[in-house]
């Protein structure tokens, strides 16, 4: 259901330049907010809501909270990964304006489009912190709220005509093994070999044919590895940080049990588990966004993402309709050439307003 070139031109012509929304986006992208340093960007958002006479505050962990009509909660994250990309607006070869800068796609485009839509529709809004590391802002939000919202729209880049319904989960752990030191000519495995053998068995367990979609696979990835003779020379030690992406076919507990089943020596401390999520395309939220994309001139695309997001956190705690939505090409997440089309951003604001009003 991809959008043709003709449809794209028609959609661009049907949505006027949104100067207010663009001004907020440039201001927020121009304010660095690497994870753990979100305060200044949060202040820009607070000022925006205060100028529009909305109740707003920064909570104990740094989230920007602007509660209102809780039939819809619009939420995205303020933090970005590190990376210095000079903030500028340039025209591409087709004459389309693009905003360059860290976070323009992930996820300040979605964040600012939601802030504008929240002001114009009266919907609730939260800008959360820490999504790129541990989702501490989203976790704090679900822990603190007494009641779930009527619907959640989570902000991540999907393209203005894309609607994300699913994310894989995440299981992360640290493998540790120790063995007695000895001459390398001895036949017995040392701790380094034990670590390699365990991880090789895990990778083989979850190997798939190429025809299986990535979203439906368990993806096993080592993140770091250290091994060798201990400082006192009496043992061999090995440590490996690992991550497994978990499709909706499994729970993180099921994947953990399978991985642990391949342990012969050593132990694993599993320190993070985020369950996968897959929303029904017939929920009120999904229907509202499909209708809104069509109204703005597009052909809606339903997406499943192979990573994780704060939507996983919300879905574990709240039993309400959810989608993830936002302008931008997710292939540019964390990239050195991160940039977003301003025409696409304008269309995303229009889609968010239309869908939010329908849900309200």
């Amino acid at each position: 259901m991809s959008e043709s070139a003709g449809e794209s031109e028609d959609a661009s012509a049907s949505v006027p330049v949104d100067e207010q929304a663009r001004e907020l986006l440039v201001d927020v992208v121009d304010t660095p907010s690497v994870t753990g340093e979100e305060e200044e960007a949060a202040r820009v958002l607070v000022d925006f809501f205060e100028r529009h006479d909305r109740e707003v505050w920064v909570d104990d962990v740094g989230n920007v909270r602007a509660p209102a009509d809780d039939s819809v909660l619009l939420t995205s994250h303020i933090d970005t990964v590190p990376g210095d990309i000079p903030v500028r607006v340039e025209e591409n070869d087709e004459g389309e304006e693009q905003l360059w800068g860290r976070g323009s796609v992930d996820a300040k485009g979605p964040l600012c489009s939601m802030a504008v839509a929240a002001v114009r529709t009266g919907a609730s809004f939260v800008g959360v912190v820490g999504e790129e590391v541990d989702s501490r802002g989203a976790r704090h939000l679900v822990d603190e709220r007494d009641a779930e919202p009527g619907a959640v729209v989570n902000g991540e880049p999907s393209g203005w005509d894309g609607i994300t319904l699913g994310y894989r989960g995440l299981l992360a752990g640290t493998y540790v093994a120790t063995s007695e030191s000895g001459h390398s000519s001895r036949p017995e495995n040392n701790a380094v070999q034990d670590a390699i053998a365990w991880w090789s068995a895990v990778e083989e367990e979850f190997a798939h044919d190429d025809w299986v979609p990535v979203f439906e696979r368990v993806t096993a990835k080592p993140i770091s590895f250290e091994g060798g003779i201990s400082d006192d020379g009496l043992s061999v030690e090995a440590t490996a940080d690992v991550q497994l992406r978990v499709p909706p076919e499994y729970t993180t507990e099921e994947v953990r049990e399978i991985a642990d089943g391949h342990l012969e020596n050593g132990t694993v401390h599993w320190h993070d588990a985020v369950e996968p999520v897959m929303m029904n395309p017939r929920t009120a939220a999904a229907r509202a966004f499909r209708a809104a994309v069509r109204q703005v001139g597009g052909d809606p695309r339903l997406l499943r993402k192979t990573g994780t997001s704060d939507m996983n956190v919300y879905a574990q705690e709240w039993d309400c309709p959810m989608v993830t939505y936002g302008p931008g090409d997710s292939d540019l997440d964390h990239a050195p050439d991160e940039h977003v089309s301003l025409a696409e951003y304008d269309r995303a604001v229009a889609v968010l307003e239309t869908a939010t009003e329908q849900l309200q």
Side-chain angles (χ1 to χ4, degrees), residues 148-168:
E148 65 185 37
V152 173
V153 183
N154 180 56
E156 292 284 355
S158 60
W160 80 272
D161 56 353
I163 305 156
T164 303
L165 299 179
Y167 284 94
R168 290 192 298 179

Side-chain angles (χ1 to χ4, degrees), residues 12-23:
S12 298
S14 67
V15 177
V17 171
D18 195 328
E19 296 288 359
Q20 180 191 50
R22 291 188 180 192
E23 180 181 356

Side-chain angles (χ1 to χ4, degrees), residues 339-357:
H339 61 276
V340 66
S341 159
L342 290 176
E344 175 180 347
Y345 174 71
D346 292 339
R347 294 196 291 272
V349 174
V351 169
L352 277 163
E353 288 185 56
T354 302
T356 299
E357 289 170 350

